Amino acid sequence: MQLDHLAVAGETLSEAVAHVEQALGVAMQPGGQHPRYGTHNRLIGLMDGLYLEAIAIEPGVVPENQPRWFDLDNFKGPARLTNWILRSPSLEQEAETLLPHARQLVAMQRGDLRWLMTVPVDGLLPYENLYPAVLEWQGRLPVESLAPTGCRLLRLTIRHPDGNALGADVAPILKDQKIAFEAGPHGMSAEFETPHGRRVLE
């Protein structure tokens, strides 16, 4: 598996977008809606085939499924980096390598994008939502239609009180020198190289 994208959540999409744009100094691009979970997003392309997503509950939309993914039903407070998503070449085969609570697969679609993704039945990924979600794209990748921004992810740091255990549980599915696990207060931070120099998104 390899890193696919990062997600910044907000109580509103405008808050999530503003948080990303202020941190990185680049404008986010259009995204779309996810009727299954009643959410909407905007995106920016990163170098190395990655992208960044701002996501929030879409007002007035009744989701087809609840709880919503990424534990968004319980999201409160300022916009922040909340999730990281891996890409699998064959998710149905590789799902057995994930923690048991992170193996439920759902089929998703947004416009002409189609993918299979792990979404726990309660919407909450292990380690209080810091364990990665995993998807398998079925067709084109969203990053292919995003304008380049000149931003490159340099390092992603994931902090949890049981950060060492989290790192050990992720090790069988991912080896990426850009991703570090630390024992500490719950949270994530990502360092980027941008057209405006090095920036940090938390």
Side-chain angles (χ1 to χ4, degrees):
M1 298 183 189
Q2 58 184 306
L3 186 62
D4 186 77
H5 69 279
L6 306 178
V8 170
E11 291 189 5
T12 67
L13 184 56
S14 61
E15 290 178 27
V17 169
H19 183 65
V20 173
E21 293 183 341
Q22 181 177 13
L24 301 186
V26 297
M28 299 205 76
Q29 300 166 43
Q33 292 75 37
H34 314 105
R36 182 165 190 158
Y37 292 108
T39 60
H40 55 163
N41 70 358
R42 292 186 68 182
L43 311 170
I44 58 169
L46 307 173
M47 299 176 75
D48 303 319
L50 306 178
Y51 71 98
L52 179 63
E53 168 185 38
I55 189 168
I57 292 173
E58 186 170 10
V61 175
V62 177
E64 297 168 7
N65 284 54
Q66 274 189 292
R68 290 178 173 89
W69 54 1
F70 299 138
D71 199 36
L72 284 172
D73 288 310
N74 298 308
F75 182 88
K76 289 183 180 16
R80 57 193 177 273
L81 184 60
T82 56
N83 291 91
W84 56 304
I85 298 89
L86 305 181
R87 181 167 70 245
S88 166
S90 182
L91 186 50
E92 289 184 328
Q93 293 182 9
E94 292 193 311
E96 290 300 313
T97 65
L98 304 174
L99 294 183
H101 192 64
R103 293 177 185 172
Q104 175 172 284
L105 305 183
V106 298
M108 295 291 302
Q109 181 175 350
R110 180 173 69 76
D112 64 347
L113 294 171
R114 290 173 175 79
W115 67 99
L116 193 64
M117 188 163 178
T118 58
V119 182
V121 66
D122 60 0
L124 181 65
L125 288 156
Y127 288 95
E128 299 169 280
N129 213 35
L130 287 180
Y131 188 79
V134 184
L135 55 69
E136 176 191 343
W137 291 108
Q138 300 172 325
R140 75 173 183 89
L141 307 182
V143 71
E144 294 171 358
S145 60
L146 295 174
T149 59
C151 295
R152 182 194 300 274
L153 176 67
L154 299 176
R155 185 175 181 83
L156 174 65
T157 302
I158 302 162
R159 294 180 301 275
H160 186 275
D162 293 323
N164 293 333
L166 172 56
D169 280 335
V170 170
I173 63 172
L174 177 73
K175 299 221 174 6
D176 190 327
Q177 293 183 347
K178 293 191 300 291
I179 301 173
F181 300 90
E182 295 180 354
H186 183 286
M188 302 173 64
S189 63
E191 183 180 1
F192 294 87
E193 179 183 287
T194 79
H196 314 289
R198 291 201 175 191
R199 300 285 188 92
V200 175
L201 175 67
E202 296 183 323

